[in-house]
Amino acid sequence: MNGYLTTHVLDTARGCPAEGLNITLYRLDGSERRKLAEMRTNVDGRTDGPILPKGDFVPGVYELEFAAGDYLRASGQSGDEPLFLDVVPIRFGITDGEAHYHVPLLLSPFGYSTYRGS
């Protein structure tokens, strides 16, 4: 398979990339959830390489888990505990093993959005 998966995180409350946010990737198969990768965003809010590179990329159901709460605490945006957003999971399907899938997270302390980017 020649496809691959990338992600990045933008801090929409501060208007900048979310540097230092931990991201974990899982593959789901029925009731099984298998951890495939764990990375941290760089100064551009991106991982240094694909979170799921060519060769490991196969169609299926995946979940990106963003450690938003840790990032919000570290950036002084956490507010009162418990946080409104702590761990943000995004579950999505990959159908085309030859495509580039890009799943960004636009994050603020009280909301987030995502989409399939390019």
Side-chain angles (χ1 to χ4, degrees):
M1 300 281 162
N2 288 319
Y4 59 102
L5 171 66
T6 58
T7 185
H8 77 277
V9 185
L10 297 173
D11 183 331
T12 58
R14 297 188 326 164
C16 64
E19 179 181 4
L21 192 144
N22 287 321
I23 304 168
T24 307
L25 174 67
Y26 297 92
R27 179 175 166 85
L28 285 72
D29 188 11
S31 62
E32 182 182 346
R33 184 176 185 239
R34 188 168 41 101
K35 182 176 168 180
L36 299 179
E38 190 168 357
M39 296 184 167
R40 179 179 279 254
T41 57
N42 60 27
V43 69
D44 293 323
R46 299 175 183 275
T47 57
D48 288 333
I51 196 158
L52 188 61
K54 293 178 183 179
D56 296 333
F57 190 84
V58 295
V61 178
Y62 293 84
E63 187 172 274
L64 283 167
E65 192 174 85
F66 296 86
D70 292 343
Y71 168 79
L72 294 168
R73 286 181 193 96
S75 64
Q77 301 181 75
S78 61
D80 295 333
E81 296 283 342
L83 299 181
F84 181 70
L85 293 175
D86 193 359
V87 175
V88 174
I90 299 174
R91 188 171 291 181
F92 59 97
I94 291 175
T95 58
D96 183 353
E98 301 297 320
H100 172 205
Y101 281 72
H102 183 68
V103 182
L105 178 69
L106 307 175
L107 176 67
S108 76
F110 300 105
Y112 68 91
S113 65
T114 190
Y115 56 93
R116 180 175 173 193
S118 56

